[in-house]
């Protein structure tokens, strides 16, 4: 079917986005949505019927690849004649594979996302008729060439009460399991003035939580001609006027300096919450992963944080079943996790990725072993999370209530400054507001409280 036969040819108005993966991707999606709105498109939900579907993909695991492909299938099930754009890390890493996915029309690299509106308009309004079923067009810049940081101000994050501000992208690390360098290129940072303007835009638009995102967040400013520190940027953001709080996305242990910890401890508008990737608690495995720390350095970083911020919300990522992980390796990881007051863990079974050093590593670990180890860590994480939440009982925390209610209870739902999910009774006027809540009940899967007047 061509646009000549398509009743939508004169005005393609609706575009839907499906976003997979990290918070940096969420910011990228918000940028693309802004560009599409500026060109007269209406943004609708991913499950709504749309004229254009944009899949912002992730490729951190094989499961992520599958979910990205599934998002295409789900979109076409809603409207099989829609134009479908495939972008993000999966598109960047495997464009030749992506062109074989049924129903794709445009494949867009990570460095080309800000060209999306122009490319879609050209596709839909070009002199040559667009035929659904033609081979997808690929737009893929060299992510590894020297480039400038590109971003635009965003005033709307679709369906979100939190604003995601990308301050940095790319990574200089050489982790043996990771595709990020190939998917995002070398580390580059935005200019401080531009970041502050983007944060001001989000605050002025009514967002109460500003999440700073990046692929390797703590390396912000290191590559500049006059290097800057991440902590100095956070200080400048925290000094902006307004009713808001700052949350940091994932930051590696070796990038956490004392200045940053002091800022978090001293500034009421910076969330006492750190997500510090661990990956493994075994030194031999960490070395094989080419992480830039050992277990002792990781523990030291966490203990420094806990000394300055006693009630710290602490999260981590852990990879289960990395090639060479023995019973003793896993025991060392479990022991390290047991020794630290994590409030949550994200654990993943190792997924070999083409193009990485670890792809060639031999692994004989059975799926049943990985599954058993995963359950051990899941149970341990739940136990630690419950312990932390119980410590909050009787205390007053600050919750940012979301725009949707808890489906099970109908109560307001949101997260505390420690990143603990909390529900409470209250009117819709409290949505998208920072609200003091006294924690009254902590159950196995539920933390509830009473709104303080």
């Amino acid at each position: 079917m061509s646009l000549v036969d398509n009743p939508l040819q004169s005005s393609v108005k609706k575009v839907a986005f499906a976003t997979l993966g990290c918070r940096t991707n969420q910011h990228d999606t918000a940028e693309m949505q802004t560009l599409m709105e500026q060109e007269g498109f209406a943004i609708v939900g991913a499950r709504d019927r749309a004229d254009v579907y944009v899949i912002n993909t992730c490729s951190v695991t094989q499961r992520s690849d599958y979910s990205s492909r599934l998002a295409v299938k789900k979109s076409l099930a809603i409207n099989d004649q829609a134009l479908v754009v495939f972008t993000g890390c999966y598109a960047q890493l495997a464009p030749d594979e992506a062109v074989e996915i049924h129903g794709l029309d445009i494949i867009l690299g990570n460095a080309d996302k800000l060209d999306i509106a122009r490319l879609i308009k050209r596709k839909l309004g070009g002199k040559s008729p667009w035929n659904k079923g033609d081979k997808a067009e690929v737009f893929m810049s060299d992510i590894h060439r020297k480039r400038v940081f590109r971003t635009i101000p965003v005033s709307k994050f679709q369906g979100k009460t939190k604003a995601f501000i990308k301050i940095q992208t790319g990574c200089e690390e050489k982790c043996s399991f990771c595709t990020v360098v190939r998917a995002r290129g070398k580390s580059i940072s935005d200019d401080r003035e531009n970041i502050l303007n983007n944060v001001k835009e989000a605050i002025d638009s009514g967002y109460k939580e500003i999440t700073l995102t990046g692929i390797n967040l703590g390396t912000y400013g290191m590559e500049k001609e006059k290097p800057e520190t991440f902590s100095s940027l956070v200080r400048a953001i925290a000094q902006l006027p307004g009713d808001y709080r700052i949350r940091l996305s994932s930051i590696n242990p070796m990038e956490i300096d004392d200045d940053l910890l002091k800022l978090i401890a001293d500034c009421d508008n910076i969330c006492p919450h750190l997500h510090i990737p661990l990956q493994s608690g075994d030194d031999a495995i960490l070395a094989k992963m080419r992480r830039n720390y050992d277990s002792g350095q990781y523990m030291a970083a966490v203990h420094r944080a806990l000394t300055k911020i006693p009630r710290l919300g602490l999260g981590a990522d852990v990879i289960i079943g990395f090639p060479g992980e023995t019973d003793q390796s896993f025991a060392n990881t479990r022991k390290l996790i047991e020794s630290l007051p994590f409030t949550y863990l994200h654990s993943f079974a190792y997924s070999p990725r083409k193009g990485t050093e670890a792809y060639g590593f031999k692994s004989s670990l059975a799926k049943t072993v990985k599954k058993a180890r995963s359950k051990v860590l899941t149970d341990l994480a739940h136990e630690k999370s419950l312990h932390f939440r119980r410590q909050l009982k009787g205390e007053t925390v600050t919750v940012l209530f979301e725009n949707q209610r808890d489906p099970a209870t109908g109560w307001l739902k949101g997260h505390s400054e420690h990143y603990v999910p909390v529900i409470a009774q209250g009117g819709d006027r409290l949505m998208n507001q920072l609200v003091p809540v006294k924690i009254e009940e902590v159950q196995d899967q539920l933390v509830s409280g009473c709104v303080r007047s």
Side-chain angles (χ1 to χ4, degrees), residues 109-335:
N110 273 328
D112 306 280
K113 287 178 176 178
L114 295 187
D115 297 323
I116 187 169
R118 177 180 62 82
L119 294 172
I120 287 176
K121 287 188 70 178
R122 190 180 77 176
K123 187 81 168 178
L124 296 177
K127 293 180 180 179
S128 300
W130 164 64
N131 292 291
K132 188 65 184 175
D134 287 350
K135 188 174 182 179
E137 287 189 274
V138 179
F139 302 92
M140 193 75 54
S141 298
D142 183 359
I143 199 77
H144 301 292
R145 65 175 170 79
K146 187 175 182 180
R147 65 196 197 281
V148 296
F149 192 98
R150 296 176 68 199
T151 188
I152 62 169
V154 176
S155 60
K156 186 185 297 183
F157 294 81
Q158 195 74 13
K160 301 287 185 182
T161 52
K162 305 169 185 177
F164 300 91
I165 305 298
K166 182 172 67 174
I167 69 166
Q168 178 274 343
T169 190
C171 185
E172 301 287 346
E173 304 297 339
K174 305 295 182 185
C175 299
S176 63
F177 58 84
C178 188
T179 60
V180 165
V181 173
R182 291 173 55 230
R184 293 281 183 172
K186 292 185 177 182
S187 181
I188 55 172
S189 307
D190 198 0
D191 293 331
R192 177 177 296 215
E193 182 179 0
N194 196 48
I195 294 169
L196 294 176
N197 286 335
N198 288 343
V199 173
K200 289 175 187 175
E201 177 84 21
I203 295 170
D204 291 344
S205 298
Y207 288 95
K208 303 296 184 182
E209 184 168 303
I210 310 297
T211 300
L212 304 182
T213 74
I215 298 301
N216 195 351
L217 192 69
T219 63
Y220 164 81
M222 289 185 181
E223 86 290 352
K224 291 181 178 292
E225 187 175 340
K226 293 183 178 180
E228 302 177 37
T229 64
F230 177 57
S231 55
S232 69
L233 173 68
V234 175
R235 179 181 292 106
I237 295 172
Q239 291 171 349
L240 294 173
D243 179 26
Y244 67 97
R245 68 187 185 190
I246 302 165
R247 191 179 297 281
L248 311 182
S249 59
S250 178
I251 182 168
N252 285 320
M254 303 312 288
E255 275 76 65
I256 301 173
D257 60 25
D258 288 340
D259 286 343
L260 180 63
L261 296 177
K262 189 175 188 305
L263 273 173
I264 298 172
D266 293 346
C267 296
D268 291 337
N269 63 345
I270 304 178
C271 292
H273 165 229
L274 289 171
H275 185 97
I276 311 174
L278 170 61
Q279 311 308 2
S280 175
D282 180 80
D283 287 344
I285 294 297
L286 286 171
K288 198 172 182 181
M289 289 178 169
R290 296 198 184 280
R291 299 295 284 175
N292 66 348
Y293 55 85
D294 59 27
S295 60
Q297 289 172 311
Y298 185 93
M299 293 181 71
V302 171
H303 283 305
R304 280 193 300 109
L306 292 169
T307 298
K308 288 185 167 57
I309 316 162
R311 187 58 60 82
L312 175 69
L314 178 63
D317 302 317
V318 183
I319 295 174
I320 298 166
F322 189 78
E325 183 184 88
T326 64
D327 288 344
Q328 185 58 53
S329 304
F330 178 72
N332 290 340
T333 297
R334 188 192 67 241
K335 183 178 179 181

